[in-house]
Amino acid sequence: MWPLYAAGFTTAFGAHAIAANLGGASSDAVTSLLTLGLLLALYDGAEVLLKPVFGTIADRVGARPVLLFGLIGFAVASGIYVLVDQTSWLWLARLGQGAAASAFSPAASTLVARLNPSAKHGRAFGSYGFYKSIGYTAGPLLGGAIVWLGGFRLLFGVMTVLAIAVAIWAVAIVPVVPPLPRTRQTVLDLARRIADPQFLRPTVALAAATAALSVGVGFLPVTGAGDGLGTIATGAAVSLLAATAAIVQPRAGRALDAGRLSTRTGIAVGLGLASAGFVCATLPGVASLLIAAALIGAGTGVITPLGFAALAASTPPERLGQTMGTAELGRELGDAGGPLLVAAVATAAVLDAGYLALAALLALVLVIGWTRK
């Protein structure tokens, strides 16, 4: 399992280490906010388009080959910029990284499910989410330190070595998991599976959790600055959010496996905590900001392993790759949609109104999806 956890760390670190430091790049690399936005969108855009595709391929040829293909592709894409070190190649390298992550991310999730019995899915996905959260948390800090030491060329070099090391580790440790026989699936069959509440409810919950996490990380510092708080206080709030999410995930997974927590109850509680967190974010003061961060982190930390465990439990083993890839697509849409919703409402009114709009949306998902049989 450890190489799979390392793969989760790699995709999270790769996404945030570069994204958090692009704005501080030289004027040759980022010439405008539009350029910055396009560079940020390349990675996520590739994931939105390709994750379901690679998930389906993993079902057809096996998840392990897709995992290795993605890690090697990530190393190649990162190595291109190391060798060329020209601004124009940054676009290609970033696009290649996103495409490669689209392959090994759903493949790793599929292997987590295939290599663990259903009774241990909560613990397995909790641990996988923990190391992915570590990548999200460490990415901006470590990435900034590496860029300070040697620029983007060194950062891409570190990612090249990291991806190669994880690929070698996976070759040595991860067993071959052959694809399972599958019945023929039409487009109508796929549509029915996606519309099935057993798929739709966990996926929507995962998208909501990702939206909450993205908004918390991106906008809580803005709120803190508006209240007159310094960068230390606002940075502590974001760190608290990320750390809480990382710590809660394996604990929620173990509680699910032990029967102390059901999927329905756990996800409902997680949505409620995240919604309450954004209500707290509208209150002034550093205490409210820290409470909001802790509630949002705890809510997303509960939802994530339980959502993936629910998907794995309701999916035929031969379709796990397709399910995980499509669920990851839902998470990417939440990652983009949450900040867009809050920003749009904040532009028309104030930021607190954006928080309340997202809190209401999370509460709506809770009421519609997780309080009715």
Side-chain angles (χ1 to χ4, degrees), residues 16-237:
H16 280 210
I18 295 176
N21 292 285
L22 277 173
S26 67
S27 59
D28 291 335
V30 180
T31 56
S32 68
L33 290 176
L34 177 60
T35 302
L36 174 61
L38 291 173
L39 278 169
L40 291 173
L42 277 177
Y43 193 99
D44 292 330
E47 289 190 311
V48 167
L49 293 174
L50 295 177
K51 275 186 173 179
V53 175
F54 280 116
T56 302
I57 294 173
D59 289 333
R60 187 180 300 274
V61 304
R64 186 174 182 268
V66 176
L67 174 75
L68 298 176
F69 170 80
L71 289 168
I72 293 170
F74 194 89
V76 170
S78 304
I80 287 175
Y81 187 77
V82 177
L83 295 175
V84 179
D85 192 23
Q86 293 181 5
T87 301
S88 59
W89 285 84
L90 179 61
W91 296 81
L92 180 61
R94 195 63 176 155
L95 180 62
Q97 284 182 329
S102 303
F104 71 79
S105 182
S109 299
T110 301
L111 286 167
V112 168
R114 289 285 305 275
L115 293 175
N116 289 277
S118 58
K120 294 184 178 180
H121 276 172
R123 181 192 298 266
F125 280 111
S127 298
Y128 180 73
F130 171 80
Y131 287 101
K132 207 166 184 178
S133 295
I134 294 299
Y136 286 132
T137 305
L141 179 61
L142 291 180
I146 293 170
V147 170
W148 179 76
L149 288 172
F152 271 93
R153 190 175 192 178
L154 179 59
L155 179 57
F156 276 88
V158 170
M159 291 185 178
T160 303
V161 174
L162 175 62
I164 292 173
V166 175
I168 294 173
W169 196 7
V171 169
I173 301 296
V174 177
V176 175
V177 181
L180 298 173
R182 300 177 305 151
T183 57
R184 184 175 178 273
Q185 177 180 256
T186 65
V187 175
L188 182 59
D189 293 331
L190 176 60
R192 286 171 177 165
R193 284 187 58 227
I194 293 175
D196 190 323
Q198 288 187 313
F199 171 84
L200 195 59
R201 289 191 303 173
T203 302
V204 171
L206 288 168
T210 308
L213 183 64
S214 181
V215 170
V217 171
F219 286 89
L220 287 184
V222 178
T223 296
D227 289 339
L229 303 177
T231 56
I232 294 178
T234 56

Side-chain angles (χ1 to χ4, degrees), residues 227-310:
D227 289 339
L229 303 177
T231 56
I232 294 178
T234 56
V238 173
S239 297
L240 177 62
L241 189 158
T244 303
I247 292 170
V248 166
Q249 287 191 59
R251 286 165 172 76
R254 287 196 294 269
L256 176 67
D257 292 341
R260 299 192 303 271
L261 183 67
S262 68
T263 299
R264 177 182 295 274
T265 301
I267 291 181
V269 168
L271 290 167
L273 288 173
S275 180
F278 285 109
V279 174
C280 287
T282 64
L283 303 176
V286 65
S288 298
L289 187 70
L290 294 176
I291 291 172
L295 289 173
I296 296 167
T300 59
V302 172
I303 294 169
T304 302
L306 270 58
F308 277 114

